[in-house]
Amino acid sequence: MRRFTPALALSLLLLGGCASVTDAPSLARRPAEAIDPRLPIVDVSAALPADPALAAALRRVAGPAFAQASAVDAAIARADALAGSAGTPGSESWISAQQALSAAVAAQAPVTRAMGDFDAAVSDRIRSGARLVPQDLAAVRAIAADLAALDRRQRAALAAVQAKLAR
């Protein structure tokens, strides 16, 4: 009898697993399964109007960079002229050219700041959950491209002046 007790306990345990489950999930089709995944998704966002306030706000953020551009160009031109006539490294004229280059780099700071503020404004808009329609994205890309072109041009000019002084 002792040999049959563990077998009896095991069979009772196995039979308990055969009990019916009343709260099991349904195997019926869900509404989402009725949608044909091969159907194309129509993008109607191009028809949505752009937000004029967004473009205006982004132009205001980028404005200081473009407003300062002529002053930066003048500072770079001054540094370039001094670098062209600079003597050997350590001479008075070379030091003066280095100081002019530092002033030009400092004058270019509003461009760098505007680029960061622009990125922050766009990311804040995205994080807020506000919609960005294709026309808004086109405005964002256009202003970002203009800022990047200005920054690239000024940085190239600064690098050229620095190369003159490094000779």
Side-chain angles (χ1 to χ4, degrees), residues 71-99:
V72 175
D73 291 340
I76 292 171
R78 181 174 182 276
D80 189 42
L82 289 173
S85 63
T88 59
S91 67
E92 287 290 324
S93 59
W94 184 84
I95 292 171
S96 180
Q98 283 285 1
Q99 290 173 335

Side-chain angles (χ1 to χ4, degrees), residues 68-166:
Q68 192 72 15
S70 61
V72 175
D73 291 340
I76 292 171
R78 181 174 182 276
D80 189 42
L82 289 173
S85 63
T88 59
S91 67
E92 287 290 324
S93 59
W94 184 84
I95 292 171
S96 180
Q98 283 285 1
Q99 290 173 335
L101 176 61
S102 294
V105 168
Q108 208 251 350
V111 176
T112 306
R113 190 173 308 109
M115 290 176 72
D117 292 346
F118 181 83
D119 287 346
V122 172
S123 66
D124 287 347
R125 173 69 181 232
I126 292 169
R127 269 187 265 137
S128 75
R131 66 179 172 85
L132 280 173
V133 299
Q135 293 151 341
D136 289 335
L137 290 174
V140 167
R141 287 185 182 116
I143 297 169
D146 291 344
L147 274 173
L150 176 65
D151 182 59
R152 209 172 17 256
R153 179 180 58 78
Q154 290 175 346
R155 288 189 186 274
L158 289 169
V161 173
Q162 193 169 20
K164 276 185 183 178
L165 289 173

